[in-house]
């Protein structure tokens, strides 16, 4: 018997990515030439995407998928621990994938999960909403954790203000990403955490506070802009990619280009690590020369000299609650859950001198 063609076979023969094939076959956006080529190859290989939908509606393989950007990151490791603990108590296996915070890699993993008829997924999204629409249309139950997928064509959502309005219970001008995708999420209360940290630094006399951001930090940087108020000094908001080298370069460049800043809020533990290393390399004293606050509490933060002030978020609880939601999805409609954060004051912040 001939082997049945898969979505990966179609993508390879058409010279495009799995995500592109998935978008074309589900009626999503693609250029006319790409659409024509994909459909021609699918017909030639006798690939039938409708079989996927039938599989998801009529048959479950059991288990769930978990997609995170980086399993070596302590926060995502704790989130994964929460998912695995909940799944273990329910007797459910978990297929774990690391996206590397790469939207293309994420799309390929989504395609693989669909091919394997995994119909329940917990994801810390790296790509935008379009990457997830085909899977949700096919019947996959998706619960987002820690982040919501970006919607670049909507300026308000792309900046994170749509999510902030959602968390405050206000009506946004456009549907927030999770609602538009019909997928709930489990999130930390980024807005409250960032706002508390900025108020704490302001109370110490700091006026030039910088923000170090990275992938998936749209909501955090939006909360930061709101907390510092108008006018926002955009030069004090710096972004890095997901690598440690990029985080260090961003932190070092920020310190050197803006010697007048007096405090830095790092949007994640990798960025906090980079800020500590860059300050040390540049002979900046913490907190005498610069105060540091890091989003996320990790074991090494307390071992720093001085120990770092952090915005602690419940990583394991986020994973556990997301797993609970995805397991209950068949019985009732899950709702988005927002978990509290906590500012833990240590020795890395001092009064503005």
């Amino acid at each position: 018997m001939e082997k049945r063609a898969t979505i990966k076979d179609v993508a390879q023969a058409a010279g495009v990515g799995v995500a592109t094939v998935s978008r074309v076959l589900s009626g999503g956006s693609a250029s006319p030439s790409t659409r024509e080529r994909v459909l021609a190859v699918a017909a030639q290989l006798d690939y039938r995407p409708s079989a996927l939908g039938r599989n998801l509606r009529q048959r479950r393989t059991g288990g769930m998928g978990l997609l995170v950007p980086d399993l070596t990151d302590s926060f995502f490791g704790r989130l994964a621990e929460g998912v695995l603990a909940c799944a273990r108590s329910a007797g459910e296996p978990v297929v774990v994938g690391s996206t590397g915070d790469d939207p293309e890699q994420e799309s390929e993993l989504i395609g693989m999960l669909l091919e394997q008829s995994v119909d329940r997924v917990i994801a810390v999204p790296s790509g935008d909403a379009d990457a997830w629409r085909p899977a949700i249309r096919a019947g996959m139950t998706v619960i987002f954790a820690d982040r919501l997928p970006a919607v670049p064509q909507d300026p308000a959502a792309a900046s994170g203000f749509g999510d902030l309005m959602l968390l405050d219970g206000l009506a946004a001008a456009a549907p927030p990403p999770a609602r538009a995708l019909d997928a709930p999420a489990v999130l930390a209360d980024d807005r409250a955490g960032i706002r508390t940290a900025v108020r704490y630094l302001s109370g110490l006399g700091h006026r030039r506070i910088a923000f170090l951001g990275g992938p998936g930090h749209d909501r955090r940087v939006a909360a930061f802009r709101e907390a510092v108020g108008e006018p926002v000094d955009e030069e004090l908001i710096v972004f890095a990619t997901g690598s440690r080298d990029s985080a260090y370069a961003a932190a070092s460049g920020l310190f050197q280009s803006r010697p007048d800043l007096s405090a830095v809020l790092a949007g994640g533990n990798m960025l906090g690590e980079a800020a500590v290393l860059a300050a040390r390399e540049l002979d900046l004293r913490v907190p005498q020369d610069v105060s540091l606050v890091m989003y996320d509490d990790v074991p090494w933060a307390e071992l720093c000299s001085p120990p770092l002030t952090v915005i602690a978020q419940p990583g394991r609880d986020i994973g556990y609650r997301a797993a609970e939601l995805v397991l209950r999805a068949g019985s009732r409609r899950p709702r988005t859950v927002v978990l509290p954060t906590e500012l833990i004051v240590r020795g890395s912040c001092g009064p503005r001198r």
Side-chain angles (χ1 to χ4, degrees):
M1 292 180 63
E2 289 187 6
K3 181 183 174 183
R4 178 174 169 266
T6 67
I7 193 170
K8 194 170 183 179
D9 296 329
V10 176
Q12 187 174 2
V16 298
V18 170
T20 301
V21 176
S22 185
R23 281 199 302 272
V24 169
L25 297 180
S26 63
S29 60
S31 68
S33 60
T34 299
R35 181 181 301 279
E36 184 177 346
R37 185 164 72 255
V38 169
L39 292 176
V41 170
Q44 183 181 356
L45 297 179
D46 195 26
Y47 176 71
R48 300 179 182 179
S50 59
L52 171 63
R54 287 197 299 273
N55 283 345
L56 287 171
R57 286 191 298 269
Q58 299 173 3
R59 175 175 59 85
R60 287 189 54 248
T61 61
M64 65 182 76
L66 169 63
L67 299 183
V68 296
D70 181 4
L71 282 167
T72 66
D73 183 290
S74 60
F75 170 73
F76 297 125
R78 295 197 306 275
L79 188 150
E81 283 180 2
V83 171
L84 293 171
C86 183
R88 187 164 51 247
S89 67
E92 293 278 353
V94 180
V95 179
V96 182
S98 177
T99 65
D101 246 329
D102 179 358
E104 282 299 319
Q105 191 169 326
E106 177 182 73
S107 294
E108 289 185 11
L109 288 171
I110 295 170
M112 288 172 57
L113 292 173
L114 285 169
E115 285 291 344
Q116 295 169 17
S117 295
V118 175
D119 62 349
R120 295 176 298 177
V121 174
I122 297 161
V124 180
S126 299
D128 60 32
D130 288 342
W132 289 96
R133 294 186 198 281
I136 293 173
R137 287 191 191 120
M140 178 180 277
T141 298
V142 178
I143 303 291
F144 294 117
D146 180 55
R147 311 174 184 169
L148 299 174
V151 184
Q153 64 270 24
D154 177 3
S159 68
F161 282 106
D163 297 339
L164 292 173
M165 295 177 75
L166 171 64
L167 297 183
D168 271 1
L170 302 176
R179 189 180 302 164
L181 286 172
D182 197 29
V186 180
L187 310 168
D189 194 345
D190 290 344
R191 188 186 192 196
I194 297 290
R195 181 171 52 197
T196 300
V198 170
R199 286 179 176 174
Y200 171 66
L201 290 170
S202 298
L204 291 173
H206 296 282
R207 297 295 176 264
R208 292 185 179 87
I209 304 170
F211 183 89
L212 274 174
H217 291 170
D218 293 344
R219 288 180 13 254
R220 292 176 192 173
V221 74
F224 176 78
R225 285 193 173 99
E226 183 188 49
V228 298
E230 296 292 343
V232 177
D233 187 343
E234 294 295 336
E235 288 185 356
L236 291 177
I237 300 176
V238 177
F239 287 94
T241 63
S243 72
R244 279 181 164 77
D245 287 344
S246 174
Y248 177 83
S252 180
L254 176 64
F255 286 137
Q256 293 180 74
S257 65
R258 291 299 300 264
D260 59 326
L261 69 83
S262 63
V264 173
L265 202 167
N269 64 71
M270 185 185 296
L271 294 158
E273 176 186 322
V276 170
L277 293 175
R280 185 179 301 164
E281 289 291 324
L282 296 169
D283 293 325
L284 293 173
R285 298 168 302 165
V286 178
Q288 292 91 337
D289 298 324
V290 62
S291 291
L292 296 179
V293 177
M294 180 175 72
Y295 198 106
D296 195 21
D297 194 14
V298 291
W300 60 260
E302 209 167 0
L303 302 177
C304 283
S305 181
L308 283 187
T309 294
V310 298
I311 303 167
Q313 58 174 334
R316 193 177 188 279
D317 288 348
I318 289 174
Y320 199 98
R321 293 292 296 274
E324 284 184 327
L325 288 186
V326 84
L327 288 170
R328 293 178 191 161
S331 59
R332 60 181 179 178
R333 166 71 182 162
R335 299 182 61 184
T336 289
V337 174
V338 179
L339 300 178
T341 55
E342 177 187 4
L343 181 69
I344 300 177
V345 176
R346 295 182 180 133
S348 64
C349 296
R352 172 64 175 148
R353 295 174 184 268

